[in-house]
Amino acid sequence: LDDEIRQNEGFKNVSLGNVLQAAYQDKRVSFLSPEDQELFVTLRGPAFEVQVGLHELLGHGSGKLFRIDETGTFNFDSTSVKNPVTGEKITSWYRPGETYDTRFSSLASTYEECRAECVGLYLCLNRDVLKVFGHLGPGAEDILYVNWLNMVRAGVLGLEFYTPHTKKWGQAHMQARHVILRLLLERGGGLVGVKKVTGSDGRPDILVTLDRSLIDTRGKAVIQEFLLKLQVYRSTGDFDAASSLYERYSAVSEDGGWLELREVVLARKLPRRMLIQPLTRVQGNGGVSLKQYEVSVEGLVQQYVECYDHYDSQLENLWLQSQHFW
């Protein structure tokens, strides 16, 4: 009953800053112009911090669910509260025993992630919010731009997690970001651009663009309208309206060229980052030695071998003890 706890008691969140910092040491960025790449590499860390804060605290941390209990009592004024999408009275709600997850089923996770991502995009347009995170003036404008740019680029990268033969998405966040990309492409009036190009190496590539001048106007209006619908459908438990809206933007087909772009995304996929830690050991004199390793596959293997060499006999004994299970 996470939603009830969040709604009535409160909640907590964790931001793994050390993990993000390690991830953002990688300077490789695909699908952006040289100008955008330079700004993106410099600011994606602080921009993502803003997005994560808004996503978790005010995205997942907000949004009342309208309910009726076993006695027929509503947790809202059913005589006066109106649906802001239709302008009419609320006509659907959660019944006793129902939760958001049971009502929305397989759509629940990605739909909720999309709602939280939209909250982050919308609220980062408020300069007072950016000020809370320590960003002012021209620097704040760049943070805002990189946050939106990161989202639309992620919408393209998310195609990796779509499986054509099952027509299913394998990752809730990436499906959500693709939905946002498709929304902004359709409704943004030139705000976002995604086109197939030829890379400097002669191979197929993708260029993602974002018109900075349209974010505060067209972009804000589109996200505002979409977020309102996401919230209303979730609050009232209107699964039919929610799935109709959401699946329209998450459908991947040949008609729109998305399957072709997916092949480019897969072909341009960068090798997985190797995070290689140094090794410290206490010396006989009480001092500590530090050994660092080459950033390569060989260095990674060497680090593991030398770090865990004194566990070899223990691991072998555990392996022998478990042989009868196999």
Side-chain angles (χ1 to χ4, degrees), residues 20-251:
L20 294 176
Q21 185 178 10
Y24 287 152
Q25 289 179 358
D26 196 334
K27 306 297 183 184
R28 303 168 298 175
V29 180
S30 56
F31 308 146
L32 298 180
S33 69
E35 298 78 16
D36 278 343
Q37 284 188 40
E38 183 177 356
L39 191 64
F40 188 87
V41 168
T42 303
L43 296 179
R44 63 178 170 178
F48 193 62
E49 183 182 53
V50 171
Q51 179 68 13
V52 169
L54 297 174
H55 172 117
E56 298 293 349
L57 298 174
L58 300 175
H60 293 317
S62 65
K64 180 173 182 173
L65 301 185
F66 292 170
R67 299 182 178 279
I68 187 172
D69 64 18
E70 293 84 352
T71 66
T73 303
F74 290 98
N75 68 345
F76 65 100
D77 187 346
S78 61
T79 62
S80 63
V81 176
K82 291 185 178 181
N83 183 323
V85 174
T86 66
E88 305 295 331
K89 287 185 178 181
I90 303 296
T91 58
S92 63
W93 43 80
Y94 293 85
R95 300 189 177 280
E98 285 187 325
T99 67
Y100 167 70
D101 287 320
T102 61
R103 181 71 76 91
F104 279 66
S105 187
S106 60
L107 188 67
S109 180
T110 182
Y111 187 92
E112 171 63 4
E113 293 304 335
C114 188
R115 187 180 72 92
E117 292 285 44
C118 286
V119 168
L121 287 180
Y122 184 78
L123 290 181
C124 82
L125 299 178
N126 187 316
R127 274 56 177 184
D128 287 338
V129 168
L130 292 176
K131 192 183 300 183
V132 170
F133 285 89
H135 305 299
L136 303 168
E141 301 305 310
D142 286 340
I143 290 290
L144 182 161
Y145 175 70
V146 170
N147 189 33
W148 277 62
L149 183 63
N150 187 36
M151 186 64 66
V152 296
R153 175 177 176 267
V156 173
L157 294 175
L159 288 167
E160 175 191 342
F161 299 90
Y162 177 79
T163 306
H165 72 272
T166 62
K167 298 184 178 181
K168 300 290 184 182
W169 287 86
Q171 216 286 343
H173 291 82
M174 298 310 276
Q175 182 180 358
R177 291 159 186 162
H178 185 74
V179 165
I180 293 171
L181 167 67
R182 296 280 293 277
L183 168 76
L184 295 175
L185 278 169
E186 179 185 286
R187 305 287 308 284
L191 170 68
V192 174
V194 177
K195 65 178 180 179
K196 187 177 178 182
V197 298
T198 301
S200 58
D201 57 2
R203 297 162 52 211
D205 207 341
I206 299 171
L207 178 63
V208 176
T209 57
L210 176 67
D211 188 334
R212 185 190 287 244
S213 67
L214 295 177
I215 297 176
D216 264 315
T217 53
R218 189 62 187 164
K220 180 178 181 179
V222 170
I223 290 295
Q224 179 181 19
E225 180 185 0
F226 188 63
L227 178 56
L228 175 64
K229 290 180 179 179
L230 292 177
Q231 181 59 62
V232 168
Y233 299 155
R234 181 181 187 274
S235 290
T236 60
D238 192 344
F239 173 77
D240 291 339
S243 60
S244 176
L245 174 70
Y246 199 77
E247 290 173 4
R248 173 187 170 195
Y249 291 113
S250 62

Side-chain angles (χ1 to χ4, degrees), residues 277-326:
Q277 297 183 0
L279 179 63
T280 57
R281 281 190 171 158
V282 178
Q283 303 300 302
N285 60 5
V288 177
S289 67
L290 173 69
K291 182 174 182 179
Q292 295 181 311
Y293 298 88
E294 177 186 339
V295 182
S296 65
V297 174
E298 291 77 9
L300 180 65
V301 172
Q302 184 184 2
Q303 191 271 339
Y304 269 85
V305 169
E306 295 184 5
C307 181
Y308 298 105
D309 61 346
H310 56 295
Y311 292 119
D312 283 353
S313 60
Q314 297 177 37
L315 291 172
E316 184 177 5
N317 287 333
L318 290 172
W319 174 70
L320 291 171
Q321 293 171 25
S322 65
Q323 282 295 288
H324 65 281
F325 292 114
W326 314 108

